[in-house]
Amino acid sequence: MKLPSDIEILVTAQQITQRVESLAHEIAGSMTRDIMIVSLLRGSFIFTADLIRALHFCGMQPQLDFMTLASYGNNTTSSGKIEITRDIIENVRGRDVLIVDDILESGNTLTFARNIIQERGAASIKIAVMLEKPGKRKVAIDADFIGFKIPDKFVVGYGLDYANYYRELPFIGVIAI
Ligand code: IMP
Ligand code: MG
């Protein structure tokens, strides 16, 4: 597969590190110590790994599980149809849950995830996303904690992919596709 080689850096690795630290402080300031994190794979794995370590330094003691959601669509847009391809193992009943995702765009993915966690009896649910594209929402949902608001461009890196490539980039960049 031929990959675009021009990547314009939008958020540097250093900016990400600083922002994740302050996000952890925001989360620690408004949630209990004992949360259950539900990280939505695959895009949020790096953000989650950095965030839980930052939360440690803020005195929190999160538990962690992963859920993989797939949306039917092409590589760059998500459709409204979503399914669970890997479910969490932990029980969220009665728990204060923090859902962690890479990016909030249409809101379909996070709405689906939040509804499931809600139906399973979570005591409270908050949402943290690394990125938000404002103005792209198809359903009304907001994140409680947002790393960066970015323009409506297709971004890769820091876990985010294009056809499962570029996840390893330590920065967030824009590719021309
Ligand atoms: P939503 O369901 O439209 O809010 O989209 C969320 C999902 O679409 C994210 O979890 C990403 O996997 C994917 N996505 C949306 N925008 C981008 C992007 O700019 N780069 C890479 N993935 C994206
Ligand atoms: Mg994703």
Side-chain angles (χ1 to χ4, degrees):
M1 178 177 178
K2 195 180 171 306
L3 292 170
S5 52
D6 277 357
I7 300 176
E8 179 201 335
I9 297 181
L10 193 65
V11 189
T12 66
Q14 195 188 4
Q15 288 172 321
I16 293 171
T17 304
Q18 288 171 356
R19 187 69 191 112
V20 169
E21 238 174 72
S22 52
L23 272 183
H25 278 104
E26 288 177 34
I27 293 166
S30 70
M31 296 189 82
T32 56
R33 185 168 182 265
D34 239 344
I35 58 171
M36 171 71 71
I37 290 179
V38 175
S39 169
L40 304 184
L41 294 175
R42 287 168 280 179
S44 74
F45 79 108
I46 295 179
F47 176 41
T48 303
D50 284 345
L51 188 64
I52 56 170
R53 285 176 286 181
L55 289 173
H56 165 77
F57 289 115
C58 296
M60 293 189 77
Q61 197 167 49
Q63 288 182 299
L64 174 67
D65 206 345
F66 296 98
M67 183 184 277
T68 309
L69 299 178
S71 85
Y72 305 94
N74 61 31
N75 279 324
T76 60
T77 55
S78 83
S79 71
K81 269 196 189 163
I82 293 168
E83 65 171 4
I84 303 175
T85 56
R86 182 209 180 270
D87 206 343
I88 51 171
I89 295 161
E90 299 286 336
N91 186 357
V92 294
R93 181 162 301 279
R95 300 298 305 270
D96 296 311
V97 174
L98 179 67
I99 301 175
V100 176
D101 203 4
D102 49 4
I103 183 166
L104 172 55
E105 197 178 70
S106 73
N108 290 326
T109 309
L110 276 164
T111 302
F112 182 88
R114 189 190 57 186
N115 290 346
I116 288 170
I117 304 294
Q118 184 85 62
E119 281 164 18
R120 293 181 185 173
S124 72
I125 303 171
K126 292 202 176 195
I127 294 172
V129 293
M130 187 64 207
L131 303 173
E132 187 199 8
K133 288 183 191 170
K136 292 284 286 181
R137 216 72 79 249
K138 288 184 191 149
V139 286
I141 184 166
D142 285 316
D144 302 277
F145 311 100
I146 299 164
F148 300 95
K149 297 194 182 200
I150 60 163
D152 182 18
K153 289 180 176 171
F154 193 79
V155 293
V156 294
Y158 198 64
L160 286 141
D161 74 302
Y162 172 65
N164 204 19
Y165 286 100
Y166 301 117
R167 296 191 195 274
E168 76 284 6
L169 300 177
F171 51 82
I172 293 161
V174 178
I175 51 168
I177 49 170

